[in-house]
Amino acid sequence: MSTSEVERGVGEILIEEDRLQERIRELGREVSEDYEGRELLLVGVLKGAVFFMADLMRSLAVPCEIDFMAISSYGAATDSSGVVRILKDLDINIEGRHVLVVEDIIDSGLTLSYLLRNLESREPASLEICALLTKPERREIEVPVRYVGFEIPNRFVIGYGLDFAERYRNLPYVGVLHPDLMPEGA
Ligand code: IMP
Ligand code: MG
């Protein structure tokens, strides 16, 4: 099989497409059981969570809506500074709603920690987090994550929504960025 232009950015595949999709179906079943009899609002964090959210939502058996937020953390391409700015806020008022924040990856935890405090102040009926990936070694601040897809080692990953300088989101699997492309000091 020939290597596509996109795949040349991949050092190795960390989570194959099949495993990814199987785990997302499991998460969907778990979330559906936990929220039985309730209506769910999925809040996706743009842009990385879009792919995960689309698949997760299709495996949910409870009535649900979606909305999105865009936040930017000022910082280098592969690092999070913890200073967060809202670029796009929710369209929906979440007061009294059951909110599940959907994230691609939790690294330091700083972004989500800020987001949680912000959303909490809007008085949702409940507020939980579902993250596809987490890098526990990198955590600087504890975030209460209810659902996790995979714990991964401290590597910079791309694919299935995750980018390096906005590229590689279209890979159907999660891979490690090729060492030749990794910026100095990252
Ligand atoms: P945190 O605030 O350090 O938890 O950063 C979380 C955000 O950093 C994620 O939503 C991603 O956008 C980005 N990020 C962290 N680690 C990676 C990675 O390995 N690949 C791609 N993006 C990442
Ligand atoms: Mg990102």
Side-chain angles (χ1 to χ4, degrees), residues 102-160:
V102 180
E103 249 291 35
D104 50 2
I105 188 166
I106 310 178
D107 191 36
S108 69
L110 293 167
T111 308
L112 261 187
S113 160
Y114 167 86
L115 195 64
L116 273 193
R117 261 181 290 129
N118 182 294
L119 294 177
E120 196 67 70
S121 72
R122 307 181 195 194
E123 302 184 346
S126 66
L127 182 61
E128 302 288 353
I129 298 169
C130 178
L132 179 65
L133 307 173
T134 174
K135 292 184 201 171
E137 282 172 54
R138 294 263 306 170
R139 200 76 83 249
E140 285 173 37
I141 187 164
E142 240 3 90
V143 265
V145 195
R146 176 82 177 264
Y147 308 97
V148 171
F150 300 90
E151 287 195 358
I152 62 166
N154 182 14
R155 316 276 300 273
F156 193 83
V157 288
I158 52 174
Y160 197 68

